Amino acid sequence: MKVDSAGSPQFVKLSFVLIIFFAINLMWHGLQAREDTAKMVVPPNLVINVDHRSTVSLNGKWHVIIDPYENGYYDYRYLPSKNGYFKNAKARNKTELIEYDFDKSEALNVPGDWNSQQDKLFFYEGTIWYKKSFDYQRKPNTRVFVYFGAANYHAIVYLNGQKLGEHVGGFTPFNFEITKLVREPRPSQEGSPSAVSSGRTNRVSSIPTVHFDNEGRGEKDNFLIVKVDNKRLREGIPTVNTDWWNYGGLTRRVELIEVPETFIRDYFIQLKKGSLKTVAGWIQLDGKQSSQTITVEIPEANVKQTFNTNADGYVEFEFDAELQLWSPENPMLYDVLIKSQPDSLSDSIGFRSVETEGTKILLNGKPIFLRGICIHEQAPKSKARAYSKEHAETLLGWAKEMNCNFVRLAHYPHNEYMPRTADRLGVLVWSEIPVYWTILWENESTLKNALSQLTEMITRDKNRASVILWSVANETPVGDARNEFLKTLVERAKSLDPTRLITAAMEKSYEGRNKPVINDPFGQYVDVLGCNEYIGWYEGLPDRCDLYTWGTIYDKPVIISEFGGGALGGFHADKDTRWSEEYQEYLYEKQIKMLEKVPFMAGTSPWILTDFMSPRRPLPRIQDYWNRKGLISDKGKKKKAFYVMQRFYEKHKQNEQ
Ligand code: GCU
């Protein structure tokens, strides 16, 4: 059939078919690209369970160079320089020009954010270089990793001038193998007191004045240098706007981990989904002796099981066991021993099941009401970011005092002491990645970043019985690109951990003036719906609560994952005066009265346990860069509303008995 002119019916039909073809093609490729990105984020070579391994701490004083212009990284053409500060260069004679000197520079504490350590760094956002020198005596047939609990936000790590790698994301751990790069003590030093050997010794002395040989070796053989940059990025996770302080630095512990040549790098040991007696999981060895026979023992439960790893050092397993189930009332932790050749590793693991049934959350098969509170990683009574076991014990101790059995760790994975302390104290945990407010949903690197933070969070804490919920987002705007982005995160979380519940903190909308409704379309992809609401604070006055009757379009459990209002600790006035403890107290009373009537509510986690630092809160003499919605002030003093929640949860506790 001859086609004569552009207007002819054949031509129109042909171009129409072509357009359809291209459109489908584009969509398919778009989807393909998203899938590829999801596939590309391989689980990290993260070494888990550092607490039970042989380590040497590098915590303490680190020399630093504050480098707002990244002069230590870029040359004047803004190209990465080969002679950056990572070289730790020293003038070796009177003519040589070196314009920095770590060892004559000031020092900061690690772990620790830099903002609260020096006034001049309070608002500082940019690059700071950290340097730590150490000697290290490696035992034969071992490997060494340098491990960071977290560094906010973008870290580039060097050992002895060599780049080890980079990490993006301020709240999850990362490590690099340094076996081939770590320098052994120089012969003359052999046996000298300063050479550290592995085994939880901590003899990395604080800041000596050092002399250098021409290998850049000072008195210590090795120098570890980290460029940490906490600049906020639009394509970042989180993005440029957060209601928490953008603490920078090596905010969590730094350790040298020494392991055998073939070691137990990662494992997952929990109850199988839907079972109260079948333990299911996997173990990943790392090293040459990959296929071997390994055992899993739980002595207190008379369990001793043997399995064979495959050529990749991987084995999946299932076995039945008579176990006391972990719960807030009975936080039973078992010593679990994994033995391989030649590595063995123990961990304290609780076994519990968590599921949903309609609008109920079931713990060990029984409905449970989550008596919760939100917590930021704010060190108690301090302007600093929390990082230690003691911080965790104080914060979770306060939550227990409030009769909580649940905490929402907002809005990012907290340090590992939090879930481990929650395991011991019997506190259920919601853990979240900082996909917060309006990030760039269609940016592939943003998705990759979110996927890797999610993967690292789950990798680190998947053996913690206390952790029952993975949250993939907080207060994100409804939209197709957002839904697709978050769906990819849910799929990843489910593929990494089929045992826990997936959630997100969403926002409500209204059917008519007085009916808040939970109908966010993303709700269909999660197991539990989180809903943040500020009725009586951002939305009207506390009495407004009396007008409302809540609705939901889902037959799923709902956690009111945020509600509350601000109060300056110690400021007292009538209940209508904002910022007074009486206003906050009255608001909580009204909120509780409203929420008690919500039939599909499976828990609450008010905003928030303690006041916390936020650059969005400048109101003088009230906020002064503190978000004052804490039930406990920045001085550690409980506000009146604390006792309102304590009584409400006490009543719940009584009803459960
Ligand atoms: C939001 C948000 C929090 C914030 C809080 C507040 O809902 O999720 O991060 O701090 O409200 O405004 O205090």
Side-chain angles (χ1 to χ4, degrees):
M1 173 180 67
K2 197 165 78 48
V3 179
D4 51 14
S5 71
S8 75
Q10 287 82 351
F11 177 78
V12 174
K13 249 195 247 123
L14 188 64
S15 41
F16 185 67
V17 170
L18 282 175
I19 290 165
I20 298 291
F21 170 72
F22 279 117
I24 294 169
N25 215 328
L26 267 180
M27 268 163 52
W28 190 80
H29 275 96
L31 280 176
Q32 195 52 42
R34 180 166 297 279
E35 265 163 43
D36 294 350
T37 304
K39 279 205 209 81
M40 247 181 329
V41 179
V42 290
N45 71 339
L46 201 53
V47 178
I48 70 164
N49 186 11
V50 174
D51 287 325
H52 291 84
R53 296 188 191 264
S54 149
T55 62
V56 170
S57 169
L58 293 181
N59 293 346
K61 292 280 184 205
W62 288 53
H63 281 292
V64 295
I65 298 176
I66 301 165
D67 185 14
Y69 282 42
E70 297 180 275
N71 183 51
Y73 187 78
Y74 295 106
D75 63 19
Y76 79 118
R77 290 274 175 259
Y78 208 60
L79 298 169
S81 153
K82 290 193 187 48
N83 287 311
Y85 293 172
F86 51 84
K87 286 290 183 196
N88 191 25
K90 296 280 172 191
R92 282 165 296 184
N93 54 53
K94 64 182 179 186
T95 59
E96 195 172 13
L97 172 62
I98 304 287
E99 295 186 281
Y100 68 93
D101 185 331
F102 274 105
D103 295 292
K104 293 198 180 84
S105 304
E106 57 199 314
L108 287 176
N109 292 320
V110 171
D113 63 273
W114 60 57
N115 312 75
S116 63
Q117 292 192 52
Q118 294 188 6
D119 290 352
K120 71 180 181 196
L121 295 175
F122 185 55
F123 288 105
Y124 183 68
E125 294 183 301
T127 283
I128 291 188
W129 294 83
Y130 285 77
K131 196 268 298 183
K132 185 75 170 180
S133 296
F134 63 93
D135 293 332
Y136 192 81
Q137 178 62 66
R138 183 164 68 83
K139 280 213 281 319
N141 312 321
T142 63
R143 296 163 64 187
V144 193
F145 291 78
V146 59
Y147 175 93
F148 296 85
N152 194 47
Y153 173 76
H154 181 193
I156 308 181
V157 184
Y158 306 83
L159 181 68
N160 302 334
Q162 301 274 332
K163 182 176 175 180
L164 300 177
E166 306 192 21
H167 184 265
V168 172
F171 305 101
T172 46
F174 56 101
N175 49 242
F176 302 106
E177 179 157 11
I178 59 170
T179 309
K180 296 203 176 67
L181 279 175
V182 70
R183 291 174 180 155
E184 305 279 329
R186 274 158 289 180
S188 62
Q189 283 204 318
E190 202 61 59
S192 71
S194 77
V196 290
S197 60
S198 67
R200 298 215 65 63
T201 53
N202 189 351
R203 279 181 293 149
V204 176
S205 55
S206 64
I207 307 191
T209 46
V210 290
H211 309 289
F212 280 77
D213 65 16
N214 52 20
E215 282 180 23
R217 289 193 204 209
E219 272 157 14
K220 306 277 178 202
D221 289 304
N222 298 282
F223 54 92
L224 183 64
I225 290 182
V226 189
K227 174 186 186 296
V228 184
D229 184 354
N230 74 334
K231 260 198 303 298
R232 285 170 289 127
L233 305 169
R234 187 67 189 91
E235 69 278 17
I237 299 277
T239 183
V240 290
N241 190 10
T242 66
D243 192 26
W244 69 81
W245 208 266
N246 181 27
Y247 290 112
L250 296 177
T251 51
R252 294 180 190 158
R253 59 179 158 174
V254 184
E255 313 255 6
L256 298 174
I257 307 174
E258 186 168 278
V259 291
E261 267 162 1
T262 298
F263 72 102
I264 302 158
R265 179 164 55 72
D266 196 358
Y267 53 89
F268 190 7
I269 304 177
Q270 287 278 281
L271 281 183
K272 186 177 179 183
K273 183 81 185 163
S275 168
L276 294 180
K277 63 178 179 51
T278 305
V279 174
W282 51 264
I283 292 169
Q284 178 67 64
L285 299 181
D286 186 324
K288 299 199 187 68
Q289 294 169 266
S290 45
S291 50
Q292 57 167 283
T293 303
I294 59 174
T295 60
V296 173
E297 293 177 33
I298 312 178
E300 292 147 291
N302 302 320
V303 167
K304 184 166 182 165
Q305 296 276 341
T306 304
F307 311 105
N308 296 317
T309 53
N310 64 20
D312 301 327
Y314 181 77
V315 64
E316 280 181 19
F317 55 78
E318 276 192 23
F319 57 86
D320 287 357
E322 289 308 316
L323 297 160
Q324 268 190 57
L325 297 174
W326 183 99
S327 69
E329 294 70 36
N330 174 36
M332 173 64 184
L333 295 175
Y334 285 89
D335 281 339
V336 176
L337 309 172
I338 306 169
K339 292 187 180 160
S340 72
Q341 278 315 317
D343 193 17
S344 63
L345 185 65
S346 69
D347 199 352
S348 318
I349 298 182
F351 296 91
R352 54 96 192 93
S353 86
V354 63
E355 298 160 283
T356 65
E357 191 182 82
T359 61
K360 297 253 175 300
I361 293 177
L362 307 182
L363 186 74
N364 300 331
K366 295 197 209 73
I368 184 168
F369 182 84
L370 300 180
R371 299 180 259 118
I373 187 77
C374 291
I375 301 181
H376 251 305
E377 208 175 26
Q378 187 77 44
K381 302 187 243 185
S382 156
K383 283 190 172 181
R385 168 157 286 168
Y387 57 80
S388 70
K389 207 179 275 177
E390 295 68 34
H391 293 151
E393 273 149 10
T394 303
L395 293 170
L396 294 173
W398 279 336
K400 294 269 302 183
E401 219 182 306
M402 213 170 92
N403 293 319
C404 290
N405 61 5
F406 170 64
V407 291
R408 176 186 173 205
L409 302 183
H411 292 291
Y412 37 76
H414 287 212
N415 64 76
E416 191 174 348
Y417 297 118
M418 284 298 265
R420 283 198 177 268
T421 307
D423 265 12
R424 266 187 309 105
L425 295 183
V427 179
L428 296 157
V429 169
W430 158 316
S431 188
E432 182 165 291
I433 53 170
V435 174
Y436 181 90
W437 289 347
T438 310
I439 64 164
L440 294 183
W441 308 110
E442 285 154 302
N443 181 307
E444 284 309 324
S445 75
T446 303
L447 175 62
K448 205 159 165 254
N449 182 349
L451 284 162
S452 97
Q453 294 192 36
L454 179 70
T455 306
E456 290 167 355
M457 170 175 79
I458 295 178
T459 299
R460 188 195 75 183
D461 294 340
K462 60 187 178 299
N463 294 301
R464 304 281 71 78
S466 57
V467 180
I468 56 168
L469 287 154
W470 301 122
S471 169
V472 295
N474 179 73
E475 292 186 358
T476 50
V478 173
D480 295 347
R482 168 260 199 179
N483 295 349
E484 280 310 308
F485 187 106
L486 297 185
K487 228 171 85 186
T488 308
L489 296 178
V490 172
E491 285 152 10
R492 158 65 43 141
K494 292 260 181 223
S495 71
L496 289 169
D497 176 6
T499 70
R500 287 182 177 80
L501 305 175
I502 309 297
T503 188
M506 295 171 271
E507 294 168 296
K508 59 184 174 5
S509 52
Y510 279 90
E511 253 171 38
R513 266 176 65 73
N514 296 333
K515 184 168 183 195
V517 176
I518 297 171
N519 57 6
D520 183 325
F522 177 61
Q524 66 193 289
Y525 303 113
V526 295
D527 304 303
V528 172
L529 307 158
C531 180
N532 295 358
E533 52 91 359
Y534 282 91
I535 301 160
W537 184 255
Y538 294 128
E539 211 181 308
L541 298 174
D543 290 339
R544 169 89 58 103
C545 293
D546 300 342
L547 308 175
Y548 288 171
T549 309
W550 284 73
T552 175
I553 64 168
Y554 296 106
D555 179 27
K556 293 182 178 184
V558 168
I559 297 173
I560 301 297
S561 41
E562 287 183 35
F563 68 88
L568 177 61
F571 170 43
H572 295 285
D574 60 47
K575 66 174 182 39
D576 302 324
T577 303
R578 289 224 181 218
W579 305 113
S580 69
E581 289 199 30
E582 286 69 22
Y583 185 109
Q584 189 189 44
E585 178 187 38
Y586 184 62
L587 170 60
Y588 270 75
E589 284 158 359
K590 284 293 175 183
Q591 277 277 349
I592 287 170
K593 222 156 125 274
M594 171 183 69
L595 295 176
E596 275 180 323
K597 290 180 290 178
V598 179
F600 45 80
M601 196 167 68
T604 52
S605 56
W607 190 258
I608 183 164
L609 181 69
T610 72
D611 292 355
F612 62 95
M613 302 281 323
S614 167
R616 301 176 73 250
R617 311 292 171 173
L619 183 61
R621 289 183 291 289
I622 297 268
Q623 295 176 317
D624 297 317
Y625 294 115
W626 288 92
N627 181 314
R628 295 292 184 194
K629 294 192 180 70
L631 295 178
I632 297 175
S633 76
D634 58 311
K635 310 266 179 319
K637 265 184 78 9
K638 298 179 178 70
K639 303 176 190 177
K640 282 185 164 183
F642 176 96
Y643 301 104
V644 175
M645 277 322 283
Q646 188 185 51
R647 285 192 297 274
F648 172 57
Y649 285 160
E650 177 60 35
K651 207 171 74 193
H652 250 287
K653 234 168 127 178
Q654 301 306 334
N655 298 350
E656 283 151 22
Q657 267 133 32

